[in-house]
Amino acid sequence: MYEAFFGMKHTPFVRDIPAEKLYESDAFRETLGRLCYVADRQMFAVVTADPGCGKSTLIRRFYSELPREEYIILYLSDSKLTPRWFYKGMLDQLGIESKFYRGDAKRQLQKEVEIIRGVQKKKVVCILDEAHLLEKETIEEFRFLLNYRFDSISPMALVLVGQTELWDKLRMQRYAAVRQRIDINCVLPHLDRAETERYILSQLAYAGGRQDIFTDKALDDIYK
């Protein structure tokens, strides 16, 4: 209803805005660039932020940025992700029926990734969302997954995305062996007042509506 009232062609402030129309702050663009580097170099990255700071938006943009002729992208988001279901989830996305036991499934995945790299000449990128909810056993499994050919190369790029407490968890002594494998740690900050206004104007521009809907006082309150 309000779209017609304000003369809008699209609905602003919704989750299904096309990736190329998403607002990108300076921190957003910098983090996106780092993730593209991680994908290219097949590295291990961690992205954290408080709720509402743009993690999901970043992942959508990152996903759309990678050319499909060069990358195969696997995405998992499951708070109860055990090591076995982690491997099963990745193999399912590759169109392969997973074996029951964790060790067998891991070898299946490693073999398939080797085929993708050697035959298809593509790079694999695995994105794990809501990673702050993962249990100890699953987090520790990443160390073994990335230990490939006597630890001489990384078989894939791994990106953990979660709320701020993910990094607090990884800083615990029990995860020291996992933490030392992390190549890049990215933190998305809150938008400042100027960025908040640019974000709102960007959404209105996408919607095709007026740019003067929000007063300065309203923008101040939204920022707060």
Side-chain angles (χ1 to χ4, degrees):
M1 181 182 295
Y2 71 83
E3 292 91 345
F5 180 81
F6 289 109
M8 296 177 177
K9 299 177 182 178
H10 305 287
T11 305
F13 313 111
V14 291
R15 293 189 294 178
D16 60 351
I17 292 176
E20 67 274 10
K21 299 294 184 180
L22 295 169
Y23 171 71
E24 298 180 2
S25 66
D26 290 341
F28 184 101
R29 283 191 292 270
E30 180 181 347
T31 305
L32 178 61
R34 290 184 177 190
L35 290 183
C36 290
Y37 181 78
V38 165
D40 179 58
R41 297 301 180 95
Q42 300 284 268
M43 301 167 81
F44 182 12
V46 174
V47 180
T48 57
D50 288 339
C53 284
K55 296 186 299 299
S56 297
T57 300
L58 173 69
I59 294 307
R60 282 186 59 208
R61 188 71 178 85
F62 175 51
Y63 186 91
S64 70
E65 191 79 5
L66 299 179
R68 297 304 183 268
E69 65 272 15
E70 298 178 25
Y71 294 94
I72 288 181
I73 306 159
L74 309 175
Y75 175 84
L76 293 171
S77 179
D78 186 348
S79 62
K80 302 299 183 184
L81 196 66
T82 64
R84 176 174 175 267
W85 285 100
F86 168 68
Y87 291 121
K88 184 180 186 309
M90 297 223 286
L91 288 166
D92 284 347
Q93 292 184 50
L94 293 173
I96 298 171
E97 185 176 352
S98 171
K99 294 186 182 298
F100 181 81
Y101 292 106
R102 177 204 304 184
D104 293 335
K106 179 168 68 174
R107 284 186 287 274
Q108 274 185 289
L109 178 64
Q110 290 174 332
K111 181 179 179 180
E112 185 62 24
V113 168
E114 194 162 333
I115 292 172
I116 291 170
R117 291 167 60 93
V119 179
Q120 299 182 32
K121 304 300 181 183
K122 292 184 178 182
K123 297 176 180 179
V124 177
V125 179
C126 178
I127 303 170
L128 283 181
D129 207 353
E130 303 295 341
H132 57 284
L133 300 174
L134 295 176
E135 297 293 339
K136 176 177 180 289
E137 185 182 20
T138 305
I139 293 175
E140 290 181 336
E141 190 68 22
F142 301 145
R143 177 163 58 102
F144 305 109
L145 174 67
L146 298 176
N147 186 354
Y148 187 69
R149 289 188 182 176
F150 302 102
D151 210 18
S152 60
I153 63 172
S154 177
M156 66 178 68
L158 179 61
V159 181
L160 303 186
V161 184
Q163 294 182 16
T164 304
E165 56 260 37
L166 170 59
W167 190 248
D168 294 335
K169 179 184 290 188
L170 291 172
R171 289 170 61 185
M172 298 172 66
Q173 181 59 34
R174 70 177 65 171
Y175 298 121
V178 177
R179 190 173 61 249
Q180 71 178 5
R181 289 184 174 273
I182 297 171
D183 299 297
I184 293 181
N185 176 36
C186 304
V187 179
L188 278 177
H190 292 259
L191 298 181
D192 61 25
R193 170 60 174 78
E195 289 170 333
T196 301
E197 181 172 354
R198 287 196 292 269
Y199 164 76
I200 291 172
L201 294 178
S202 172
Q203 293 274 337
L204 294 177
Y206 159 74
R210 290 165 29 205
Q211 295 281 292
D212 61 347
I213 294 175
F214 296 92
T215 64
D216 287 342
K217 179 63 168 61
L219 292 172
D220 289 340
D221 288 341
I222 292 170
Y223 166 65
K224 291 175 184 177

